[in-house]
Amino acid sequence: FPESKQFDIVPDEVIEINFNASTEWKLASNRQWLKFIDNKGRFQSLTGKPGEYIVKITVTDGALGFVDDEAIVELTMGELTQTVAELTRSAKKRVAKMFTMENGEIKEIDEFVDETFARSELIGFEANFDWRVDPESIPEWLINTGGGLKIQNLSGEAGQVVDFSRMVYIDTKEEARYSDLESTVTIRAINSDYTYRFPIKATGIEAGSIKWIGSAAILRGGLLWDDKGNTLKKVAGTSDIYPSDEPNICHVIVRDNKFTLRFMEWDSSNRKVVEVPEGKVWVDVVRREGGLLTLKAKDNLVRSQRKMVVFFVPENTEIDYNSYFNKTGVFNFLNTGYGMQLEQYGLSGGFGISRQKSSTSFNSLSEGVEVEDVTEIAERLSLTKLDNIYEHSFTAEE
């Protein structure tokens, strides 16, 4: 008997063993997928007479799995049987693929790249093993935008070809796109610990650009407060206004969250935009998380309504502030612009005195004060309500 030899082999590969038999002999194996080759074909076993032989051996892909398999070749001569070869058949390679839809056709891709804001795209997978998407691998910035089928529920059988019904719509959260995003989605085999990771990317906003988060109709109205700094909300498309317990916030996407805030207002005398001095900015930024700002207005102690515009200025960006206002100082909100209007109502209640400045404008002179001897005045004037009586002493100039 020859010494036993060890071989690594893949399907359809051919190896040779040689031996010199002193009697009639037989070769056999313990695996159906191992075949002996002679000039008549492939067989499960071979027999022969005494002599020298070179025998060819191959393996098929029958019952080929995802782990290496082993077979032995045994030579029998007379009453004796010995192992003369040990073969290790390499496992089947696992293959997983990712797809998207382009121009109405399903296309295989090496990585999924979301380059467009506010547009959903299709994604799907297939593999030569039973699989499912690992929900924990899905990045938090990747969201489902389609119907009932969601990416975290995607699964498939071995060899099941992807089609439109087995794909899902996904998008990237806008508020996360202040920088380039990169992660992976993992396909996990059902019956093993094998995993396959697919690159998932999203392009962040360009430097110098800005993207407002929210409805354009609502953003166009800006932020509004009453005279006490309480939040007022406007109903989009109407003139309705209602009080709200929620704070006033504005949210923008700027590259790497690198921006400065500029508070600007219209100078009607000179018909141009001027920056509000730091000490006269009447809102406070009470919270700032990247491009998400929470604003609180201070009390308005005068009767006139006041307005200014907060501008988010990205790093290394120049802005033509005057281009946002018309000739009469009306602010024009732009979806891709850098500014949002802030507005606060004038002091309500009480008693105020104003002097006419022009045919359409007035200057506030002062506020009336409550009368100390209100009871005496109320009795003299036969008044029953005492909380709306004010007085003011006019100067000669007034």
Side-chain angles (χ1 to χ4, degrees):
F1 289 90
E3 291 185 5
S4 178
K5 294 183 178 181
Q6 295 181 337
F7 300 91
D8 292 324
I9 191 169
V10 297
D12 297 326
E13 184 182 357
V14 177
I15 63 169
E16 295 178 346
I17 62 171
N18 56 75
F19 59 92
N20 188 353
S22 57
T23 66
E24 291 185 351
W25 56 270
K26 179 181 179 180
L27 282 175
S29 174
N30 65 335
R31 291 287 187 269
Q32 290 289 325
W33 44 261
L34 187 146
K35 305 295 181 182
F36 300 99
I37 304 173
D38 67 7
N39 55 3
K40 294 181 180 180
R42 299 184 177 194
F43 302 95
Q44 201 64 43
S45 63
L46 282 182
T47 59
K49 297 182 180 298
E52 292 189 14
Y53 290 89
I54 298 176
V55 177
K56 294 181 178 181
I57 300 174
T58 190
V59 296
T60 71
D61 59 2
L64 184 62
F66 295 109
V67 294
D68 293 345
D69 203 354
E70 296 181 349
I72 60 173
V73 175
E74 293 181 324
L75 174 62
T76 300
M77 290 189 293
E79 301 296 326
L80 297 178
T81 300
Q82 290 188 17
T83 298
V84 294
E86 299 175 16
L87 286 76
T88 300
R89 183 179 66 167
S90 299
K92 177 170 59 176
K93 184 179 180 180
R94 293 182 185 267
V95 178
K97 299 177 180 180
M98 177 169 57
F99 298 85
T100 191
M101 184 80 76
E102 288 186 5
N103 300 321
E105 295 184 359
I106 296 176
K107 177 182 177 182
E108 182 181 354
I109 52 176
D110 295 326
E111 61 180 13
F112 184 93
V113 182
D114 181 10
E115 296 181 325
T116 308
F117 279 64
R119 189 183 74 186
S120 300
E121 297 187 49
L122 282 165
I123 190 172
F125 306 92
E126 67 179 45
N128 64 349
F129 53 90
D130 295 346
W131 60 273
R132 63 179 175 85
V133 169
D134 183 358
E136 294 183 357
S137 73
I138 301 172
E140 62 178 10
W141 46 263
L142 195 67
I143 56 175
N144 291 283
T145 57
L149 187 60
K150 302 189 180 301
I151 187 172
Q152 56 263 37
N153 297 327
L154 281 182
S155 61
E157 299 177 359
Q160 189 175 29
V161 179
V162 68
D163 59 28
F164 178 78
S165 66
R166 297 178 54 247
M167 303 179 79
V168 295
Y169 282 102
I170 59 173
D171 197 2
T172 304
K173 290 182 179 178
E174 284 192 329
E175 56 267 32
R177 301 189 77 155
Y178 55 85
S179 62
D180 295 334
L181 302 169
E182 184 172 350
S183 186
T184 59
V185 169
T186 300
I187 297 298
R188 184 176 295 278
I190 297 294
N191 297 318
S192 75
D193 293 331
Y194 178 81
T195 58
Y196 195 99
R197 295 181 178 180
F198 293 96
I200 304 289
K201 300 178 181 179
T203 305
I205 193 166
E206 294 180 357
S209 297
I210 194 169
K211 173 74 170 132
W212 293 90
I213 300 298
S215 163
I218 295 177
L219 293 169
R220 192 171 292 111
L223 304 182
L224 178 65
W225 293 268
D226 67 13
D227 62 315
K228 302 301 182 185
N230 300 310
T231 300
L232 299 176
K233 297 291 185 181
K234 298 179 181 180
V235 179
T238 72
S239 59
D240 296 340
I241 296 173
Y242 62 94
S244 173
D245 294 332
E246 299 177 357
N248 260 332
I249 63 172
C250 53
H251 196 177
V252 300
I253 305 301
V254 179
R255 186 73 184 185
D256 298 326
N257 284 325
K258 293 182 178 179
F259 61 89
T260 56
L261 294 177
R262 301 284 296 275
F263 293 93
M264 315 296 288
E265 64 182 358
W266 180 255
D267 181 354
S268 57
S269 300
N270 298 303
R271 296 183 178 276
K272 66 177 183 178
V273 177
V274 295
E275 186 163 10
V276 181
E278 184 176 351
K280 293 187 177 181
V281 174
W282 46 266
V283 297
D284 292 322
V285 179
V286 296
R287 189 172 184 178
R288 174 172 173 173
E289 298 176 348
L292 178 63
L293 269 63
T294 303
L295 301 175
K296 174 67 175 176
K298 303 173 183 178
D299 288 355
N300 191 354
L301 302 179
V302 297
R303 295 189 174 278
S304 58
Q305 195 171 6
R306 55 187 179 184
K307 297 179 182 180
M308 62 182 178
V309 178
V310 57
F311 283 91
F312 290 75
V313 185
E315 190 176 46
N316 302 319
T317 302
E318 296 291 334
I319 298 177
D320 180 7
Y321 298 102
N322 286 290
S323 66
Y324 286 82
F325 296 80
N326 66 14
K327 294 181 179 180
T328 60
V330 176
F331 175 73
N332 178 33
F333 175 81
L334 301 175
N335 291 338
T336 57
Y338 298 95
M340 175 186 284
Q341 181 168 276
L342 311 178
E343 182 178 357
Q344 186 177 27
Y345 289 159
L347 182 67
S348 60
F351 181 76
I353 300 167
S354 299
R355 171 189 290 164
Q356 186 172 10
K357 179 181 177 182
S358 66
S359 60
T360 58
S361 63
F362 296 82
N363 283 343
S364 175
L365 292 179
S366 63
E367 291 294 320
V369 296
E370 293 185 1
V371 180
E372 293 184 1
D373 53 347
V374 63
T375 303
E376 176 185 342
I377 293 179
E379 290 178 351
R380 178 156 47 87
L381 299 177
S382 300
L383 303 176
T384 58
K385 190 174 182 180
L386 305 181
D387 62 353
N388 64 343
I389 302 176
Y390 299 85
E391 67 178 1
H392 177 73
S393 296
F394 287 88
T395 66
E397 181 183 1
E398 289 172 342

